[in-house]
Amino acid sequence: ATPAATDPALTGKLNEAMKKAGVSGLTIDVVNGKATIKGTVPAAKYAQVVMAINESGITGWDNQITQGN
């Protein structure tokens, strides 16, 4: 089995995924493979952001994202 990615690697992966989704300004903290993600994203991008987060390899996440205009 492949070892899980380290927290800094997952944070980098999430930041990269957010850039690809075209959003910025989110605060991403990863501890033991679980991410806490805070901030506001445009409502039109919300589903794309959630999908990118779910595909990033984290073990779970605390969704503190709000949808803006």
Side-chain angles (χ1 to χ4, degrees):
T2 343
T6 62
D7 294 344
L10 288 168
T11 303
K13 201 170 178 185
L14 284 164
N15 280 316
E16 196 56 40
M18 295 308 99
K19 273 191 201 128
K20 277 191 186 147
V23 297
S24 60
L26 292 177
T27 304
I28 300 171
D29 290 309
V30 180
V31 180
N32 297 327
K34 184 173 191 255
T36 300
I37 304 173
K38 301 174 189 162
T40 304
V41 299
K45 299 249 183 200
Y46 183 79
Q48 188 180 358
V49 167
V50 170
M51 195 162 59
I53 293 166
N54 286 333
E55 291 171 356
S56 68
I58 54 175
T59 56
W61 65 293
D62 180 8
N63 184 350
Q64 296 183 17
I65 300 172
T66 51
Q67 295 182 53
N69 296 331

Coordinates of all heavy atoms in Angstrom, one line a residue:
A1 N 0.8 -1.2 0.0 CA 0.0 0.0 0.0 C 0.9 1.2 0.0 O 1.9 1.2 0.6 CB -0.9 0.0 1.2
T2 N 0.4 2.2 -0.7 CA 1.2 3.5 -0.8 C 0.9 4.3 0.5 O -0.2 4.4 0.9 CB 0.7 4.4 -1.9 OG1 0.0 3.6 -2.9 CG2 1.9 5.0 -2.6
P3 N 2.0 4.8 1.1 CA 1.7 5.7 2.3 C 0.9 6.9 1.9 O 1.1 7.4 0.8 CB 3.1 6.0 2.8 CG 4.0 5.8 1.7 CD 3.4 4.8 0.8
A4 N 0.1 7.4 2.8 CA -0.7 8.6 2.6 C 0.3 9.8 2.4 O 1.4 9.8 3.0 CB -1.6 8.9 3.7
A5 N -0.1 10.7 1.6 CA 0.7 11.9 1.4 C 0.8 12.7 2.7 O -0.1 12.6 3.5 CB 0.1 12.8 0.3
T6 N 1.9 13.4 2.8 CA 2.1 14.2 4.1 C 1.2 15.4 4.0 O 0.7 15.8 3.0 CB 3.5 14.7 4.2 OG1 3.8 15.6 3.0 CG2 4.5 13.6 4.2
D7 N 0.9 16.0 5.2 CA 0.0 17.1 5.3 C 0.5 18.3 4.4 O -0.3 18.9 3.7 CB -0.1 17.6 6.8 CG -0.8 16.5 7.6 OD1 -1.5 15.6 7.0 OD2 -0.8 16.6 8.8
P8 N 1.8 18.7 4.4 CA 2.2 19.8 3.5 C 2.0 19.4 2.0 O 1.6 20.3 1.2 CB 3.7 20.0 3.8 CG 3.9 19.4 5.2 CD 2.9 18.3 5.3
A9 N 2.2 18.2 1.7 CA 2.0 17.8 0.3 C 0.5 17.9 -0.1 O 0.1 18.4 -1.2 CB 2.4 16.3 0.0
L10 N -0.4 17.5 0.8 CA -1.8 17.6 0.6 C -2.3 19.1 0.5 O -3.1 19.4 -0.3 CB -2.6 16.9 1.7 CG -2.5 15.3 1.6 CD1 -3.1 14.7 2.9 CD2 -3.3 14.8 0.4
T11 N -1.7 19.9 1.4 CA -2.0 21.3 1.4 C -1.6 21.9 0.0 O -2.4 22.6 -0.6 CB -1.3 22.1 2.5 OG1 -1.6 21.5 3.7 CG2 -1.6 23.5 2.5
G12 N -0.4 21.5 -0.5 CA 0.0 22.0 -1.8 C -0.9 21.5 -2.9 O -1.3 22.3 -3.8
K13 N -1.3 20.3 -2.8 CA -2.2 19.7 -3.8 C -3.6 20.4 -3.8 O -4.1 20.7 -4.9 CB -2.4 18.2 -3.5 CG -2.9 17.4 -4.6 CD -2.8 15.9 -4.3 CE -3.3 15.0 -5.4 NZ -3.3 13.6 -5.1
L14 N -4.1 20.7 -2.6 CA -5.4 21.4 -2.5 C -5.2 22.9 -3.1 O -6.1 23.3 -3.8 CB -5.8 21.5 -1.1 CG -6.4 20.2 -0.6 CD1 -6.5 20.2 1.0 CD2 -7.8 19.9 -1.2
N15 N -4.1 23.5 -2.7 CA -3.9 24.9 -3.3 C -3.9 24.9 -4.8 O -4.4 25.7 -5.4 CB -2.7 25.5 -2.7 CG -2.9 26.1 -1.3 OD1 -3.9 26.7 -1.0 ND2 -2.0 25.8 -0.4
E16 N -3.2 23.9 -5.3 CA -3.1 23.7 -6.8 C -4.5 23.5 -7.4 O -4.8 24.1 -8.4 CB -2.1 22.6 -7.1 CG -1.6 22.6 -8.5 CD -0.9 23.8 -9.0 OE1 -0.2 24.4 -8.2 OE2 -1.2 24.2 -10.1
A17 N -5.2 22.6 -6.7 CA -6.6 22.3 -7.2 C -7.5 23.6 -7.2 O -8.3 23.8 -8.1 CB -7.2 21.2 -6.4
M18 N -7.3 24.4 -6.2 CA -8.1 25.6 -6.1 C -7.7 26.6 -7.2 O -8.6 27.3 -7.8 CB -7.9 26.3 -4.8 CG -8.5 25.5 -3.6 SD -10.2 24.9 -3.8 CE -10.0 23.2 -4.3
K19 N -6.4 26.7 -7.5 CA -5.9 27.5 -8.6 C -6.6 27.1 -10.0 O -7.0 27.8 -10.8 CB -4.4 27.5 -8.8 CG -3.7 28.5 -7.9 CD -2.2 28.5 -8.3 CE -1.4 29.1 -7.1 NZ -0.3 28.3 -6.7
K20 N -6.5 25.7 -10.2 CA -7.1 25.2 -11.4 C -8.6 25.4 -11.5 O -9.1 25.6 -12.6 CB -6.9 23.6 -11.4 CG -5.5 23.3 -12.0 CD -5.4 21.8 -12.2 CE -4.0 21.4 -12.6 NZ -3.7 20.1 -12.2
A21 N -9.3 25.4 -10.3 CA -10.7 25.7 -10.3 C -11.0 27.2 -10.5 O -12.1 27.6 -10.6 CB -11.3 25.2 -9.0
G22 N -9.9 28.0 -10.4 CA -10.1 29.5 -10.6 C -10.5 30.2 -9.4 O -11.1 31.3 -9.5
V23 N -10.3 29.6 -8.2 CA -10.7 30.4 -7.0 C -9.4 30.6 -6.2 O -8.4 29.9 -6.2 CB -11.7 29.6 -6.1 CG1 -13.0 29.4 -6.9 CG2 -11.1 28.2 -5.7
S24 N -9.5 31.7 -5.4 CA -8.4 32.0 -4.5 C -9.0 32.6 -3.2 O -10.2 32.8 -3.1 CB -7.5 33.1 -5.1 OG -8.2 34.3 -5.4
G25 N -8.1 32.8 -2.2 CA -8.6 33.3 -1.0 C -9.1 32.3 0.1 O -9.6 32.7 1.1
L26 N -8.9 31.0 -0.2 CA -9.4 30.0 0.7 C -8.2 29.7 1.7 O -7.1 29.7 1.3 CB -9.8 28.7 0.0 CG -11.1 28.8 -0.8 CD1 -11.3 27.5 -1.5 CD2 -12.3 29.2 0.0
T27 N -8.5 29.5 2.9 CA -7.5 29.1 3.9 C -7.6 27.6 4.1 O -8.7 27.0 4.3 CB -7.8 29.7 5.3 OG1 -7.9 31.1 5.1 CG2 -6.8 29.4 6.3
I28 N -6.5 26.9 3.8 CA -6.5 25.4 3.9 C -5.5 25.0 4.9 O -4.3 25.3 4.9 CB -6.1 24.9 2.5 CG1 -7.1 25.3 1.4 CG2 -5.9 23.3 2.5 CD1 -6.6 25.0 0.0
D29 N -6.0 24.2 5.9 CA -5.2 23.6 6.9 C -5.4 22.1 6.9 O -6.5 21.6 6.9 CB -5.6 24.1 8.3 CG -5.2 25.6 8.5 OD1 -4.1 25.9 8.3 OD2 -6.1 26.3 8.9
V30 N -4.3 21.4 6.8 CA -4.4 19.9 6.8 C -3.6 19.3 8.0 O -2.5 19.7 8.2 CB -3.8 19.3 5.5 CG1 -3.9 17.8 5.5 CG2 -4.4 19.9 4.2
V31 N -4.3 18.5 8.8 CA -3.7 17.9 9.9 C -4.1 16.4 9.9 O -5.3 16.0 9.8 CB -4.3 18.5 11.3 CG1 -3.7 17.8 12.5 CG2 -4.0 20.0 11.3
N32 N -3.1 15.6 9.9 CA -3.3 14.1 9.8 C -4.2 13.7 8.6 O -5.0 12.8 8.8 CB -3.8 13.6 11.1 CG -2.8 13.8 12.3 OD1 -1.6 13.8 12.1 ND2 -3.4 14.0 13.4
G33 N -4.0 14.4 7.5 CA -4.7 14.0 6.3 C -6.1 14.6 6.2 O -6.8 14.4 5.2
K34 N -6.6 15.3 7.3 CA -7.9 15.9 7.2 C -7.8 17.4 7.1 O -7.0 18.0 7.7 CB -8.6 15.6 8.6 CG -10.1 16.1 8.6 CD -10.8 15.7 9.8 CE -12.3 16.0 9.6 NZ -12.8 17.1 10.4
A35 N -8.5 17.9 6.1 CA -8.4 19.3 5.8 C -9.5 20.2 6.4 O -10.7 19.7 6.5 CB -8.4 19.5 4.3
T36 N -9.2 21.4 6.8 CA -10.2 22.4 7.2 C -10.1 23.5 6.2 O -9.0 24.0 6.0 CB -10.0 22.9 8.6 OG1 -10.0 21.8 9.5 CG2 -11.0 23.9 9.0
I37 N -11.1 23.8 5.5 CA -11.1 24.7 4.4 C -12.1 25.8 4.7 O -13.3 25.5 4.8 CB -11.3 24.0 3.0 CG1 -10.3 22.9 2.9 CG2 -11.3 25.0 1.9 CD1 -10.5 22.0 1.7
K38 N -11.6 27.1 4.7 CA -12.4 28.2 5.1 C -12.3 29.3 4.0 O -11.3 29.4 3.3 CB -11.9 28.9 6.3 CG -11.9 28.0 7.5 CD -11.3 28.8 8.7 CE -11.1 27.8 9.9 NZ -10.1 28.3 10.8
G39 N -13.4 30.0 3.8 CA -13.4 31.1 2.8 C -14.7 31.2 2.1 O -15.6 30.5 2.3
T40 N -14.7 32.1 1.1 CA -15.8 32.3 0.2 C -15.5 32.0 -1.2 O -14.4 32.5 -1.7 CB -16.4 33.7 0.4 OG1 -16.6 34.0 1.8 CG2 -17.6 33.9 -0.4
V41 N -16.3 31.3 -1.9 CA -16.1 31.0 -3.3 C -17.4 31.5 -4.1 O -18.5 31.4 -3.5 CB -15.8 29.6 -3.7 CG1 -14.5 29.1 -3.0 CG2 -16.9 28.6 -3.3
P42 N -17.2 31.9 -5.3 CA -18.4 32.2 -6.1 C -19.4 31.0 -6.2 O -18.9 29.9 -6.4 CB -17.9 32.6 -7.5 CG -16.4 32.9 -7.3 CD -16.0 32.0 -6.1
A43 N -20.7 31.2 -6.1 CA -21.6 30.1 -6.1 C -21.5 29.3 -7.3 O -21.6 28.1 -7.3 CB -23.0 30.7 -6.0
A44 N -21.1 29.9 -8.5 CA -21.0 29.2 -9.7 C -19.8 28.2 -9.7 O -19.8 27.2 -10.5 CB -20.8 30.2 -10.9
K45 N -18.8 28.4 -8.8 CA -17.6 27.6 -8.8 C -17.7 26.6 -7.6 O -16.9 25.7 -7.5 CB -16.4 28.5 -8.5 CG -16.1 29.5 -9.6 CD -14.9 29.1 -10.4 CE -14.6 30.1 -11.4 NZ -13.8 29.5 -12.5
Y46 N -18.7 26.7 -6.8 CA -18.8 25.9 -5.5 C -18.7 24.4 -5.8 O -17.9 23.7 -5.2 CB -20.0 26.2 -4.7 CG -20.1 25.5 -3.4 CD1 -19.4 25.9 -2.3 CD2 -20.9 24.4 -3.3 CE1 -19.4 25.2 -1.1 CE2 -21.0 23.7 -2.1 CZ -20.2 24.1 -1.0 OH -20.3 23.4 0.2
A47 N -19.5 23.9 -6.7 CA -19.5 22.4 -7.0 C -18.2 22.0 -7.5 O -17.7 20.9 -7.1 CB -20.6 22.1 -8.0
Q48 N -17.5 22.8 -8.4 CA -16.2 22.4 -8.9 C -15.2 22.4 -7.8 O -14.3 21.5 -7.8 CB -15.8 23.5 -10.0 CG -14.6 23.2 -10.7 CD -14.2 24.3 -11.8 OE1 -15.0 25.3 -11.9 NE2 -13.1 24.1 -12.4
V49 N -15.3 23.3 -6.9 CA -14.3 23.3 -5.7 C -14.5 22.1 -4.9 O -13.5 21.4 -4.5 CB -14.5 24.6 -4.9 CG1 -13.8 24.6 -3.6 CG2 -14.0 25.8 -5.7
V50 N -15.7 21.8 -4.5 CA -16.0 20.6 -3.7 C -15.5 19.3 -4.4 O -14.8 18.5 -3.7 CB -17.5 20.5 -3.4 CG1 -17.8 19.1 -2.7 CG2 -17.9 21.6 -2.4
M51 N -15.7 19.2 -5.7 CA -15.2 18.0 -6.4 C -13.7 17.9 -6.4 O -13.1 16.9 -6.1 CB -15.8 18.1 -7.9 CG -15.6 16.7 -8.6 SD -16.6 16.6 -10.1 CE -16.0 18.0 -11.0
A52 N -13.1 19.1 -6.6 CA -11.6 19.1 -6.6 C -11.1 18.7 -5.2 O -10.1 18.0 -5.1 CB -11.1 20.5 -7.0
I53 N -11.7 19.2 -4.2 CA -11.3 18.8 -2.8 C -11.5 17.3 -2.6 O -10.5 16.7 -2.1 CB -12.1 19.6 -1.8 CG1 -11.7 21.1 -1.9 CG2 -11.8 19.1 -0.4 CD1 -12.6 22.1 -1.2
N54 N -12.6 16.8 -3.0 CA -12.9 15.4 -2.8 C -11.9 14.5 -3.5 O -11.6 13.3 -3.1 CB -14.3 15.0 -3.1 CG -15.3 15.5 -2.1 OD1 -14.9 15.7 -0.9 ND2 -16.5 15.8 -2.5
E55 N -11.4 15.0 -4.6 CA -10.4 14.2 -5.5 C -9.0 14.4 -5.1 O -8.1 13.8 -5.7 CB -10.7 14.5 -7.0 CG -12.0 14.1 -7.5 CD -12.3 14.6 -8.9 OE1 -11.5 15.4 -9.4 OE2 -13.4 14.2 -9.4
S56 N -8.7 15.2 -4.1 CA -7.3 15.5 -3.8 C -6.5 14.5 -3.0 O -5.3 14.6 -2.8 CB -7.3 16.9 -3.0 OG -7.9 16.7 -1.7
G57 N -7.2 13.5 -2.4 CA -6.5 12.5 -1.7 C -6.6 12.6 -0.1 O -6.0 11.9 0.6
I58 N -7.3 13.7 0.3 CA -7.4 13.8 1.8 C -8.3 12.8 2.4 O -9.1 12.2 1.7 CB -7.9 15.3 2.1 CG1 -9.2 15.6 1.4 CG2 -6.8 16.3 1.8 CD1 -9.8 16.9 1.8
T59 N -8.2 12.5 3.7 CA -9.0 11.5 4.3 C -10.4 12.0 4.7 O -11.3 11.2 4.9 CB -8.3 10.9 5.6 OG1 -8.0 12.0 6.5 CG2 -7.0 10.2 5.2
G60 N -10.5 13.3 4.8 CA -11.8 13.9 5.1 C -11.6 15.4 5.2 O -10.5 15.9 5.2
W61 N -12.7 16.1 5.3 CA -12.5 17.6 5.4 C -13.7 18.3 6.1 O -14.8 17.7 6.1 CB -12.2 18.2 4.1 CG -13.3 18.1 3.0 CD1 -13.7 17.0 2.4 CD2 -14.0 19.2 2.4 NE1 -14.6 17.3 1.4 CE2 -14.8 18.7 1.4 CE3 -13.9 20.6 2.6 CZ2 -15.6 19.5 0.6 CZ3 -14.8 21.4 1.8 CH2 -15.6 20.8 0.8
D62 N -13.4 19.4 6.7 CA -14.4 20.2 7.4 C -14.7 21.4 6.5 O -13.8 22.2 6.3 CB -13.7 20.7 8.8 CG -14.7 21.6 9.5 OD1 -15.9 21.7 9.2 OD2 -14.3 22.2 10.5
N63 N -15.9 21.3 5.9 CA -16.3 22.3 4.9 C -16.7 23.6 5.6 O -17.8 23.6 6.2 CB -17.4 21.7 4.0 CG -17.8 22.7 2.9 OD1 -17.4 23.9 2.9 ND2 -18.5 22.2 2.0
Q64 N -15.9 24.6 5.6 CA -16.3 25.9 6.2 C -16.3 27.0 5.0 O -16.0 28.1 5.3 CB -15.3 26.3 7.3 CG -15.4 25.4 8.5 CD -14.5 25.8 9.6 OE1 -14.0 26.9 9.7 NE2 -14.2 24.9 10.5
I65 N -16.7 26.5 3.8 CA -16.7 27.4 2.7 C -18.1 28.0 2.5 O -19.1 27.2 2.7 CB -16.4 26.6 1.4 CG1 -15.0 26.0 1.5 CG2 -16.5 27.5 0.2 CD1 -14.6 25.0 0.3
T66 N -18.2 29.3 2.3 CA -19.4 29.9 2.1 C -19.5 30.3 0.6 O -18.5 30.5 0.0 CB -19.6 31.1 3.0 OG1 -18.5 32.0 2.8 CG2 -19.8 30.8 4.4
Q67 N -20.7 30.3 0.1 CA -20.9 30.7 -1.3 C -21.2 32.2 -1.5 O -22.1 32.7 -0.8 CB -22.1 29.9 -1.9 CG -21.8 28.4 -2.0 CD -22.9 27.6 -2.6 OE1 -23.4 28.0 -3.7 NE2 -23.4 26.6 -1.9
G68 N -20.4 32.8 -2.3 CA -20.7 34.2 -2.5 C -21.5 34.4 -3.8 O -22.2 33.5 -4.2
N69 N -21.4 35.6 -4.4 CA -22.2 35.9 -5.6 C -21.5 35.4 -6.8 O -20.4 35.4 -6.9 CB -22.5 37.4 -5.7 CG -23.3 37.9 -4.5 OD1 -24.1 37.2 -4.0 ND2 -23.1 39.2 -4.1

